[in-house]
């Protein structure tokens, strides 16, 4: 056993260093496609970059409240895709999302959206019961019901557009277990494996970075 | 000289323990069941019941209620093979979710995973033998 100690220690140390370099980067990238836009300002041509945003949507949550892009103004949010009867990765994702929920509970600048991909089974009462059984009784974590096509399209063209279309994840990209971090301008700022402890912890660190950034933006205004 | 005695007695002692462990076939069998069972658990159960058997809020029960597991010991193989769909009360909480049936899990793997479960997460109930599993599976309804 003794000879194992040193490599284990090294692994631990490099693990720490990896974490550190991750969290010390003060700003998060903007994911997804971008387009240069040329416009003329004061007679001068300027090139601006327009980043992809999450397309407009409107769904109903477990309390029959409509949630759309406008309900999320001034908030950052984490989105994922699940269904209540999913036997594979969803319980672990829910467990991790619950950690995030508990950490930011009561923070009006943070929301969570869980889109069901099984609208036939996951009706509003089913979603309501699922939320309650998870211990979610306020309106910060929305379990959203929408037509299947609409949800798939939103996933493909919005949240998952950064992922290769030929993704070989079982169940397709919609059911890949991603947690997507979105800022108040609806830009995608990060994608994390919602089944992985470490990535979920990185996500929470990144949320803190993003919240600080949003705060600075507000102060500048 | 004193060191030598300590050293040699330590050596003899560890040798005896070593022999003892080897000689104890039941223990070896238990260790194997337990180790293999932890692998079965990872594949078939951990998604829901989680790595420490803690379950998920009020949706999925924890596997830490030793009294429940002991009292329902005979039913456990049928739980795994046929799944669960009616409501079940554990630790005073009522659960009404679905546990999927694992019809294709061999009796030996059921025995191993149940050995793992009933001896982890604070449980300590000894081996769940494959014969016991086969016997119970014949009586599932």
């Amino acid at each position: 056993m003794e000879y194992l100690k040193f490599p284990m220690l090294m692994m631990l140390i490099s693990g720490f260093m990896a974490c550190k370099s991750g969290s010390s980067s003060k700003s998060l990238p903007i994911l997804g496609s971008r387009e240069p836009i040329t416009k003329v300002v004061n007679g001068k041509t300027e090139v601006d970059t327009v980043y992809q945003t999450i397309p407009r949507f409107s769904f109903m949550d477990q309390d029959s409240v409509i949630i759309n892009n406008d309900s999320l103004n001034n908030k950052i949010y984490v989105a994922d895709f699940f269904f209540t009867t999913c036997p594979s990765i969803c319980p672990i994702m829910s467990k991790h999302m619950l950690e995030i929920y508990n950490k930011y509970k009561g923070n009006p600048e943070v929301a969570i959206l869980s889109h069901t991909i099984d609208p036939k089974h996951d009706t509003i009462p089913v979603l309501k019961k699922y939320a309650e059984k998870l211990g979610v009784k306020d309106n910060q974590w929305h379990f959203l019901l929408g037509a299947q096509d609409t949800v798939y399209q939103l996933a493909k063209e919005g949240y998952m557009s950064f992922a290769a279309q030929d993704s070989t994840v079982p169940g397709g990209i919609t059911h890949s277990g991603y947690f997507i971090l979105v800022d108040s301008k609806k830009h995608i700022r990060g994608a994390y494996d919602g089944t992985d402890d470490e990535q979920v912890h990185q996500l929470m660190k990144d949320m803190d970075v993003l919240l600080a950034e949003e705060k600075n933006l507000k102060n500048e205004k | 000289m004193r060191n030598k005695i300590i050293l040699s007695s330590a050596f003899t002692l560890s040798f005896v323990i070593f022999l003892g462990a080897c000689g104890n076939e039941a223990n070896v069998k238990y260790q194997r069941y337990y180790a293999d069972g932890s692998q079965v658990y990872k594949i078939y159960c951990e998604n829901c019941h989680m790595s420490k058997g803690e379950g998920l809020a009020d949706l999925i029960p924890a596997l830490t209620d030793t009294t429940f597991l002991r009292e329902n010991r005979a039913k456990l193989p049928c739980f795994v093979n046929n799944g669960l769909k009616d409501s079940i009360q554990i630790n005073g909480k009522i659960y009404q979710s679905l546990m999927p049936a694992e019809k294709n899990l061999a009796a030996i793997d059921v025995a191993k995973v149940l050995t793992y479960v009933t001896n982890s997460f604070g449980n300590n109930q000894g081996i769940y033998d494959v014969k016991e599993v086969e016997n119970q599976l014949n009586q599932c309804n």
Side-chain angles (χ1 to χ4, degrees), chain A residues 178-190:
Chain A
Y178 275 118
F179 285 0
I180 312 289
L181 177 60
V182 181
D183 69 17
S184 65
K185 297 203 189 74
K186 310 285 185 297
H187 293 141
I188 301 170
R189 303 302 293 271

Side-chain angles (χ1 to χ4, degrees), chain A residues 177-217:
Chain A
Y178 275 118
F179 285 0
I180 312 289
L181 177 60
V182 181
D183 69 17
S184 65
K185 297 203 189 74
K186 310 285 185 297
H187 293 141
I188 301 170
R189 303 302 293 271
Y192 311 80
D193 180 348
T195 64
D196 183 281
D197 268 336
E198 257 177 54
Q199 291 210 25
V200 171
H201 284 125
Q202 186 60 48
L203 165 57
M204 288 194 268
K205 282 187 200 153
D206 288 355
M207 286 172 76
D208 291 338
V209 172
L210 186 54
L211 282 169
E213 176 191 307
E214 300 270 350
K215 202 171 189 175
N216 285 338
L217 277 180

Side-chain angles (χ1 to χ4, degrees), chain A residues 14-29 192 198 201-207 209:
Chain A
S14 53
F16 274 129
M17 300 215 308
C19 285
K20 222 173 162 193
S21 61
S23 64
S24 65
S25 64
K26 274 279 173 281
S27 97
L28 307 175
Y192 311 80
E198 257 177 54
H201 284 125
Q202 186 60 48
L203 165 57
M204 288 194 268
K205 282 187 200 153
D206 288 355
M207 286 172 76
V209 172

Side-chain angles (χ1 to χ4, degrees), chain B residues 83-131:
Chain B
L84 282 164
K85 55 176 183 294
D86 301 325
S87 63
I88 197 168
Q89 186 167 354
I90 294 125
N91 257 338
K93 277 195 221 160
I94 295 182
Y95 295 83
Q96 298 161 296
S97 316
L98 274 181
M99 170 160 145
E102 292 295 352
K103 291 258 182 264
N104 297 325
L105 210 56
I108 180 71
D109 290 326
V110 175
K112 286 172 173 172
V113 78
L114 289 178
T115 298
Y116 177 73
V117 166
T118 53
N119 292 282
S120 303
F121 323 131
N123 307 312
N124 186 10
Q125 305 179 6
I127 194 164
Y128 207 120
D129 198 86
V130 63
K131 295 226 174 60

Side-chain angles (χ1 to χ4, degrees), chain A residues 31 45 72-73 76 85 102 117 120 124 144 177 181 188 214:
Chain A
L31 306 183
T45 321
L72 298 161
N73 277 345
I76 70 167
T85 51
N102 284 328
I117 54 173
K120 258 206 194 110
I124 299 287
L144 296 176
L181 177 60
I188 301 170
E214 300 270 350

Side-chain angles (χ1 to χ4, degrees), chain B residues 8-21:
Chain B
S8 65
S9 57
F11 183 76
T12 327
L13 191 69
S14 59
F15 193 63
V16 170
I17 291 172
F18 181 66
L19 265 186

Side-chain angles (χ1 to χ4, degrees), chain A residues 41-107:
Chain A
V41 180
N42 294 337
K44 272 191 283 182
T45 321
E46 285 183 0
V47 181
D48 212 359
T49 313
V50 173
Y51 294 96
Q52 179 204 338
T53 56
I54 301 297
R56 293 196 71 79
F57 62 83
S58 179
F59 296 119
M60 205 179 261
D61 78 1
Q62 73 270 26
D63 296 312
S64 306
V65 174
I66 301 279
I67 300 298
N68 58 26
N69 302 53
D70 298 331
S71 5
L72 298 161
N73 277 345
N74 302 317
K75 286 179 199 289
I76 70 167
Y77 69 91
V78 183
D80 75 346
F81 294 85
F82 86 115
F83 54 108
T84 61
T85 51
C86 147
S88 54
I89 58 177
C90 305
I92 299 230
M93 290 168 67
S94 294
K95 171 188 149 172
H96 284 142
M97 202 62 106
L98 200 56
E99 278 175 38
I100 296 172
Y101 170 77
N102 284 328
K103 176 170 175 193
Y104 295 98
K105 206 175 194 163
N107 185 335

